Amino acid sequence: MGEEHFVEKEKMEEKLEEVSKIHFVLIHGISGGGWCWYKIKSLMEISGYKVTCLDLKGAGIHPHDPTTIISFDDYNQPLINFLSSLPQNEQVILVGHSAGGLSVTDATHKFPKKVRMAVYIGATMLRNGFVTEQDVKDGIPDLSDFGEAIDVYDMCFGLGPEQPPTSAVVKTSLQRKIIYQMSPLEDSTLAAMLLRPGPIQALASARFKEGEGAEEVPRIYIRTAYDRVVKPKQQDEMIKKWPPKNVYTLETDHSPFFSAPLLLFGLLIKAASIGEVQY
């Protein structure tokens, strides 16, 4: 009995050591911040995983004014700086939600050897960014069902009132209806207090040069079946154009980190087990 207990304990320690080597880097969508992952971060850390929740430029508690950000490279610089700082032999699992998918793709092209896997959650997944009209149709939210843009968004004009808006955020009165319709009320209330205008002009300018080895990075797509932001049809078109290794579906709104955190956590851990870390 004592020997069996020792063997089981040894196996458990080996498993915990293996888990502790897996590092998730979670990337928020437009207007969000690292705060939106608080439930997933808690579940991951209590299970022994390493997790980093970044704020992109002008998002979350990042001090920059998002209204002044007009290039995607500028917006995504915090993620690029983070990956640059990693040791050459360290790999991470990048997880992008919504527009965070653009950040994940950009980083994968630039640092393919540091990305163990790329996971997209109800996210924009375009190989080269917004190159064609179809890319725009598939990857940019169409909220016209909820009214004209001026009725749906609070917009900021960083380049002057005669120029297109540089940032926008869904009006507080519509956020729950559009983004969080299946999420707990306390989470949509928290989001209403923390969402910031997102740099829409910068995101629309996202275009990527394919990096050598980027196509070898496994990609996973997690569909959000009742999404009113990146609609299921848009998700399916992006999946069809650039097929990932695996596709899973959550019966949730646009924000499964609020509406189904345990299910999302389970899928992320399942995805992590698909491939082994390459050194």
Side-chain angles (χ1 to χ4, degrees):
M1 183 70 176
E3 185 176 342
E4 289 179 359
H5 177 73
F6 176 78
V7 171
E8 288 299 319
K9 182 180 179 182
E10 193 174 55
K11 287 182 179 179
M12 180 65 71
E13 289 174 349
E14 288 176 358
K15 180 65 175 177
L16 289 173
E17 184 178 356
E18 181 182 326
V19 164
S20 68
K21 292 179 180 177
I22 299 177
H23 185 178
F24 289 90
V25 179
L26 311 181
I27 310 300
H28 61 83
I30 187 170
S31 295
W35 57 267
C36 70
W37 301 102
Y38 78 96
K39 291 183 178 180
I40 303 300
K41 179 178 171 66
S42 298
L43 290 168
M44 286 183 169
E45 289 184 337
I46 202 170
S47 302
Y49 296 94
K50 185 176 181 181
V51 56
T52 299
C53 302
L54 291 177
D55 285 327
L56 298 178
K57 194 167 185 179
I61 61 172
H62 192 284
H64 205 84
D65 179 0
T67 301
T68 65
I69 300 170
I70 58 174
S71 83
F72 182 79
D73 286 345
D74 191 22
Y75 175 63
N76 206 35
Q77 199 60 50
L79 175 58
I80 300 307
N81 290 345
F82 175 82
L83 292 172
S84 297
S85 71
L86 292 177
Q88 287 300 317
N89 65 342
E90 185 173 342
Q91 289 189 315
V92 299
I93 297 176
L94 293 182
V95 180
H97 171 247
S98 196
L102 294 166
S103 296
V104 167
T105 302
D106 180 41
T108 302
H109 283 309
K110 291 175 177 173
F111 297 96
K113 292 183 179 180
K114 291 187 176 183
V115 181
R116 174 184 174 184
M117 178 175 291
V119 183
Y120 298 77
I121 304 170
T124 303
M125 184 179 69
L126 301 168
R127 178 183 294 176
N128 300 114
F130 296 113
V131 177
T132 68
E133 289 185 9
Q134 189 62 43
D135 292 331
V136 172
K137 183 177 180 181
D138 294 339
I140 292 183
D142 175 10
L143 304 185
S144 59
D145 290 347
F146 302 95
E148 299 293 329
I150 194 171
D151 299 318
V152 175
Y153 293 102
D154 287 324
M155 293 178 281
C156 301
F157 298 82
L159 299 177
E162 302 303 320
Q163 299 297 319
T166 53
S167 67
V169 62
V170 173
K171 289 181 180 293
T172 303
S173 60
L174 291 173
Q175 288 170 6
R176 179 163 181 80
K177 185 176 183 180
I178 296 174
I179 312 171
Y180 310 112
Q181 79 271 16
M182 298 173 70
S183 299
L185 180 59
E186 57 266 34
D187 288 322
S188 61
T189 301
L190 175 69
M193 298 168 68
L194 296 176
L195 290 177
R196 296 175 65 183
I200 54 174
Q201 195 167 130
L203 286 164
S205 72
R207 290 173 180 76
F208 316 124
K209 293 181 180 179
E210 289 197 39
E212 184 177 352
E215 281 296 326
E216 297 174 14
V217 176
R219 283 175 295 108
I220 304 292
Y221 200 98
I222 299 176
R223 297 174 68 256
T224 39
Y226 297 101
D227 200 320
R228 295 176 178 175
V229 180
V230 183
K231 296 181 176 66
K233 183 178 180 181
Q234 292 177 288
Q235 297 178 39
D236 291 340
E237 285 297 321
M238 290 185 284
I239 289 167
K240 181 180 177 181
K241 284 201 304 184
W242 195 25
K245 183 180 181 69
N246 289 88
V247 178
Y248 305 110
T249 298
L250 288 173
E251 304 290 321
T252 69
D253 56 16
H254 185 59
S255 307
F257 41 73
F258 289 160
S259 54
L262 287 171
L263 291 175
L264 177 57
F265 169 69
L267 284 183
L268 291 174
I269 301 310
K270 182 178 181 180
S273 69
I274 289 176
E276 295 182 356
V277 182
Q278 302 169 7
Y279 293 106

